[in-house]
């Protein structure tokens, strides 16, 4: 069976961009593949975190994984820090990753620009991400468009290792959707929707109330042309709303644009509120029905399963590199 791995950071508010761009796909993949979905808590530490808040966010993200429909009977759900092989392989991979490669990562440049005291962890973050993926002989990695460059680096690292030390790693393929892989901010549609941006009006959290969803969508930035067509360069705000409608209704963006041409932006926004509230309702009902004991049990059993596979890969890599 082919293997799938992906991860989400337990930081900020998990939003509809995370869901439509990546996590919804996780649920679809679990029936046909052997899947590993990880709460990447070590990645969260690359920027300062409050320990108590982080501890809660780890459980909250695991609860969200269950609420969107991931089934622990089919899929391995676990926290990265519960499987020490992730940190250990990350070190080994850092030793075959070049400083120049990490310096070219656009996410590092964005997150570090203008900041003092940028952690070394933020810089080496992509090597830890490569370790996450390569430990499980992963064939496919479902992610949003912002992770494409990290996936290319992961492939380069895997190929370099295989060339130097002999066939070891499976070289993974990214799975990036055609529509919805980059959901934009509702208040600043030139930027992607972000979990941690200060302005929370820019994102729809998976846990937002119907009133919040309505307020955010009705206030979403569009343009003054009042003519509905899909063109992300000329009309980023409106095109983002069309995209949100398209991925939630499984209809093409052209189809949506044609339907609302003549009806105006207001009607599109009103209908999008209804569709979005409905998407979130299913997730939130399930979210509220899951106990903390259940989450802890799922994470503990998931880590036990993941550890066996990860440890085997790690030992193989250590041996090939001249350790052990
Ligand atoms: P993270 O936690 O930032 O985001 C989780 C997933 O959501 C996708 N995403 C989006 N998709 C569409 N529109 C958006 N506005 C949007 N924002 C985020 C991300 O692409 C991601 O798929 N480095 C990763 C976590 C990670 C990982 C891994 C992923 C660590 N190890 C191994 C895959 C495999 C991250 O920070 O995702």
């Amino acid at each position: 069976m082919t293997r799938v791995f992906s991860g989400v950071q337990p930081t900020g508010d998990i939003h509809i961009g995370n869901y439509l761009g990546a996590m919804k796909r996780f649920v679809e993949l679990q029936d046909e593949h052997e899947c590993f979905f990880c709460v990447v808590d070590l990645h969260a530490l690359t920027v300062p975190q409050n320990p108590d808040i982080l501890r809660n966010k780890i459980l909250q993200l695991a609860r969200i994984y269950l609420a969107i429909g991931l089934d622990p009977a089919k899929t391995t759900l676990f926290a990265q820090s519960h499987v020490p092989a992730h940190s250990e392989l990350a070190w080994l991979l850092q030793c075959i990753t070049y400083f120049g490669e990490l310096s070219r990562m656009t996410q590092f440049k964005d997150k570090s620009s203008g900041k003092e005291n940028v952690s070394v962890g933020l810089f080496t973050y992509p090597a830890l991400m490569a370790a996450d993926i390569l430990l499980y002989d992963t064939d496919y990695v479902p992610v949003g468009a912002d992770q494409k460059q990290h996936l290319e680096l992961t492939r380069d690292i895997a190929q370099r290792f295989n060339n130097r030390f002999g066939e070891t790693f499976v070289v993974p393929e990214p799975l990036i959707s055609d529509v919805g892989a980059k959901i934009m901010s509702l208040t600043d549609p030139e930027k992607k929707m972000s979990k941690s941006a200060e302005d929370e009006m820019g994102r729809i959290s998976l846990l937002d109330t119907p009133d919040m969803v309505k307020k955010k969508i009705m206030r979403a930035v569009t343009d003054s042309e009042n003519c509905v067509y899909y063109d992300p360069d000329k009309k980023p705000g409106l095109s983002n709303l069309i995209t949100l409608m398209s991925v939630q209704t499984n209809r093409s963006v052209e189809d949506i644009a044609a339907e609302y041409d003549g009806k105006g932006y207001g009607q599109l926004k009103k209908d999008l509120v209804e569709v979005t509230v409905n998407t979130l309702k299913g997730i939130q009902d399930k979210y509220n029905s899951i106990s903390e004991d259940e989450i802890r049990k799922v994470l503990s059993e998931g880590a036990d399963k993941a550890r066996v596979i990860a440890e085997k890969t790690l030992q193989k890599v250590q041996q090939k590199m001249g350790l052990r």
Side-chain angles (χ1 to χ4, degrees), residues 5-9 15 17-18 21-22 40 43 125 129 132-133 141 143-144 146-147 180-183 192-193 195:
F5 182 98
S6 199
V8 177
Q9 290 194 57
H15 54 70
N18 300 125
V40 290
H43 276 108
Y125 170 125
M129 179 161 162
D132 298 339
I133 298 167
V141 187
V143 281
D146 63 343
Q147 297 302 319
K182 192 172 183 189
I183 299 293
K192 69 169 186 180
M193 189 178 279
K195 278 193 214 125

Coordinates of all heavy atoms in Angstrom, one line a residue, residues 5-9 15 17-18 21-22 40 43 125 129 132-133 141 143-144 146-147 180-183 192-193 195, ligand 1:
F5 N 2.1 10.9 4.1 CA 2.5 11.6 5.4 C 2.2 13.1 5.2 O 2.5 13.7 4.2 CB 4.0 11.4 5.7 CG 4.4 12.1 7.0 CD1 4.5 11.3 8.2 CD2 4.6 13.5 7.1 CE1 4.8 11.9 9.4 CE2 4.9 14.1 8.3 CZ 5.0 13.3 9.4
S6 N 1.6 13.7 6.3 CA 1.6 15.2 6.3 C 1.5 15.7 7.7 O 1.3 14.9 8.6 CB 0.4 15.7 5.5 OG 0.7 17.1 5.2
G7 N 1.8 16.9 7.9 CA 1.8 17.5 9.3 C 1.2 18.9 9.3 O 1.2 19.6 8.2
V8 N 0.7 19.3 10.4 CA 0.2 20.6 10.6 C 0.8 21.1 12.0 O 0.9 20.4 12.9 CB -1.3 20.6 10.7 CG1 -1.9 22.0 11.0 CG2 -1.9 20.1 9.4
Q9 N 1.2 22.4 12.0 CA 1.7 23.0 13.2 C 0.6 23.3 14.2 O -0.3 24.0 13.8 CB 2.5 24.3 12.9 CG 3.8 24.0 12.2 CD 4.7 25.3 12.2 OE1 5.0 25.8 13.3 NE2 5.0 25.8 11.1
H15 N -7.3 27.2 10.3 CA -8.3 27.9 9.5 C -8.8 27.2 8.3 O -8.3 26.1 7.9 CB -7.8 29.3 9.2 CG -6.5 29.3 8.4 ND1 -6.3 28.8 7.2 CD2 -5.2 29.7 8.8 CE1 -5.1 29.0 6.8 NE2 -4.4 29.5 7.8
G17 N -8.3 27.8 5.3 CA -7.3 27.6 4.3 C -6.5 26.3 4.5 O -6.2 25.5 3.6
N18 N -6.2 26.0 5.8 CA -5.5 24.8 6.2 C -6.4 23.6 5.8 O -5.9 22.6 5.2 CB -5.2 24.7 7.7 CG -4.3 25.8 8.2 OD1 -4.7 26.5 9.1 ND2 -3.2 25.9 7.6
G21 N -7.1 23.6 1.8 CA -5.8 23.5 1.0 C -5.1 22.1 1.3 O -4.4 21.7 0.4
A22 N -5.3 21.5 2.4 CA -4.6 20.3 2.7 C -5.4 19.3 3.5 O -5.5 18.1 3.1 CB -3.3 20.7 3.5
V40 N 2.9 18.6 14.3 CA 4.3 18.9 14.3 C 4.7 19.9 15.4 O 5.0 21.1 15.1 CB 4.8 19.2 12.9 CG1 4.8 18.0 12.0 CG2 4.1 20.4 12.3
H43 N 8.2 21.7 15.3 CA 8.2 22.8 14.3 C 7.7 24.1 15.0 O 8.1 25.2 14.7 CB 7.4 22.5 13.1 CG 8.3 21.7 12.1 ND1 8.0 20.4 11.8 CD2 9.3 22.1 11.3 CE1 8.9 20.0 10.8 NE2 9.7 21.1 10.5
Y125 N 14.5 24.3 10.0 CA 13.2 23.8 10.0 C 12.9 22.8 8.8 O 12.4 21.7 8.9 CB 12.3 25.0 9.9 CG 10.8 24.9 9.7 CD1 10.0 25.5 10.6 CD2 10.3 24.4 8.5 CE1 8.6 25.5 10.4 CE2 8.9 24.4 8.3 CZ 8.1 25.0 9.2 OH 6.7 25.0 9.0
M129 N 11.5 18.9 8.6 CA 10.3 18.5 7.8 C 10.7 17.3 6.9 O 9.9 16.4 6.7 CB 9.9 19.7 7.0 CG 8.7 19.4 6.1 SD 7.8 21.0 5.7 CE 6.9 20.4 4.3
D132 N 10.7 14.2 8.9 CA 9.3 13.7 9.1 C 8.8 12.8 8.0 O 8.3 11.7 8.2 CB 8.3 14.9 9.2 CG 8.6 15.9 10.3 OD1 9.2 15.6 11.2 OD2 8.1 17.1 10.1
I133 N 9.1 13.3 6.8 CA 8.5 12.6 5.6 C 9.3 11.4 5.3 O 8.8 10.3 5.0 CB 8.6 13.6 4.4 CG1 7.7 14.8 4.7 CG2 8.2 12.9 3.1 CD1 7.9 16.0 3.7
V141 N 2.8 13.4 -0.3 CA 2.6 14.4 0.8 C 1.6 15.4 0.4 O 1.9 16.3 -0.4 CB 4.0 15.1 1.1 CG1 3.9 16.0 2.3 CG2 5.1 14.1 1.2
V143 N -0.2 18.8 0.7 CA 0.1 20.1 1.3 C -0.5 21.2 0.5 O -0.9 21.0 -0.7 CB 1.6 20.3 1.4 CG1 2.3 19.6 2.6 CG2 2.4 20.0 0.1
G144 N -0.5 22.4 1.1 CA -0.9 23.6 0.3 C 0.3 24.1 -0.5 O 1.5 23.6 -0.3
D146 N 2.1 26.6 -0.3 CA 3.3 27.3 0.4 C 4.4 26.3 0.8 O 5.5 26.7 1.2 CB 2.8 28.1 1.6 CG 2.1 27.2 2.6 OD1 1.7 26.1 2.3 OD2 2.0 27.7 3.8
Q147 N 4.1 25.0 0.7 CA 5.0 24.0 1.2 C 5.8 23.3 0.0 O 6.6 22.5 0.2 CB 4.4 22.9 2.0 CG 3.7 23.3 3.3 CD 4.7 24.0 4.2 OE1 5.9 23.5 4.4 NE2 4.3 25.1 4.8
G180 N -7.6 25.9 -4.5 CA -7.7 26.0 -3.0 C -6.4 25.7 -2.3 O -6.3 25.8 -1.1
A181 N -5.3 25.6 -3.1 CA -4.0 25.3 -2.5 C -3.4 26.5 -1.9 O -2.4 26.5 -1.1 CB -3.0 24.7 -3.5
K182 N -4.0 27.7 -2.2 CA -3.5 28.9 -1.6 C -4.7 29.8 -1.3 O -5.1 30.7 -2.2 CB -2.4 29.6 -2.4 CG -1.7 30.7 -1.7 CD -0.5 31.3 -2.4 CE 0.2 32.3 -1.6 NZ 1.2 33.0 -2.4
I183 N -5.3 29.7 -0.2 CA -6.5 30.5 0.2 C -5.9 31.8 0.7 O -4.9 31.8 1.5 CB -7.4 29.8 1.2 CG1 -7.9 28.5 0.7 CG2 -8.5 30.8 1.7 CD1 -8.9 28.6 -0.4
K192 N -1.4 35.2 1.9 CA -2.2 34.0 2.2 C -2.9 34.1 3.5 O -2.4 34.8 4.4 CB -1.2 32.8 2.1 CG -0.2 32.7 3.2 CD 0.5 31.4 3.2 CE 1.3 31.3 4.5 NZ 2.1 30.2 4.8
M193 N -3.9 33.4 3.7 CA -4.6 33.3 4.9 C -3.6 32.7 5.9 O -3.0 31.6 5.6 CB -5.9 32.5 4.8 CG -6.8 32.5 6.0 SD -8.3 31.6 5.8 CE -9.4 32.7 4.9
K195 N -2.5 31.4 10.0 CA -2.9 31.1 11.4 C -2.6 32.1 12.4 O -3.2 32.2 13.4 CB -2.1 29.8 11.8 CG -2.6 28.5 11.3 CD -1.9 27.4 12.1 CE -1.7 26.2 11.3 NZ -0.3 25.8 11.3
Ligands
LIG1 P1 1.2 24.7 8.4 O1 0.9 24.2 9.8 O2 1.6 26.1 8.2 O3 -0.1 24.4 7.5 C1 -0.7 23.2 7.5 C2 -1.2 22.9 6.1 O4 -2.0 23.9 5.6 C3 -1.6 24.4 4.3 N1 -1.9 25.8 4.3 C4 -2.7 26.4 3.4 N2 -3.3 25.9 2.3 C5 -4.1 26.7 1.6 N3 -4.2 28.1 1.8 C6 -3.6 28.6 2.9 N4 -3.7 29.9 3.1 C7 -2.8 27.8 3.7 N5 -2.0 28.0 4.8 C8 -1.5 26.8 5.1 C9 0.0 24.2 4.4 O5 0.5 24.2 3.1 C10 0.0 22.8 5.1 O6 -0.2 21.8 4.1 N6 5.8 23.0 7.4 C11 4.4 22.6 7.5 C12 4.1 21.5 8.5 C13 5.0 20.2 8.3 C14 4.8 19.3 7.3 C15 5.7 18.2 7.5 C16 3.9 19.2 6.2 C17 6.0 19.8 9.1 N7 6.5 18.6 8.6 C18 5.8 17.1 6.7 C19 4.0 18.0 5.4 C20 5.0 17.0 5.7 C21 3.6 23.8 8.0 O7 4.1 24.7 8.6 O8 2.3 23.7 7.7

